């Protein structure tokens, strides 16, 4: 007997919903996705600001960046 993946089971369950229910579910999932993504971006921004405050960030041109990479 083949084991159905949780993802496939979820799809099959969603397909059993009416179109209106699928639309509501899609909207809900998109909102949650955007909230999670926003949370990740906020965390990354906080980390970058912390690194900037600690002087760990360097500024320069692309050429300077490439030269520094060549020295590694």
């Amino acid at each position: 007997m083949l084991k159905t993946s949780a993802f496939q089971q979820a799809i099959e369950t969603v397909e059993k919903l009416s179109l209106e229910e699928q639309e509501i579910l899609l909207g809900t999932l998109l909102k949650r996705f955007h909230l999670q993504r926003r949370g990740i971006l906020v965390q990354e921004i906080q980390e970058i600001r912390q690194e900037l405050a600690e002087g760990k960030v360097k500024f320069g041109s692309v050429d300077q960046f490439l030269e520094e990479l060549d020295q590694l």
Side-chain angles (χ1 to χ4, degrees):
M1 180 168 71
L2 293 175
K3 184 176 181 182
T4 305
S5 71
F7 185 77
Q8 183 62 36
Q9 289 175 346
I11 290 174
E12 290 171 4
T13 300
V14 169
E15 287 176 341
K16 292 176 185 175
L17 299 173
S18 70
L19 287 178
E20 182 180 355
E21 290 170 324
Q22 288 182 33
E23 185 176 14
I24 292 168
L25 177 61
L26 180 59
T28 301
L29 290 173
L30 282 172
K31 286 178 186 176
R32 289 182 180 192
F33 172 80
H34 290 136
L35 286 173
Q36 286 181 334
R37 185 67 184 128
R38 187 176 296 128
I40 291 169
L41 290 173
V42 166
Q43 182 179 353
E44 289 174 352
I45 289 168
Q46 288 172 342
E47 291 172 5
I48 291 168
R49 286 181 175 164
Q50 181 66 34
E51 289 177 3
L52 183 59
E54 294 172 358
K56 294 180 181 178
V57 177
K58 293 182 180 180
F59 295 94
S61 69
V62 173
D63 289 335
Q64 290 169 326
F65 173 73
L66 293 174
E67 285 177 18
E68 194 168 320
L69 281 179
D70 286 340
Q71 295 174 3
L72 297 176

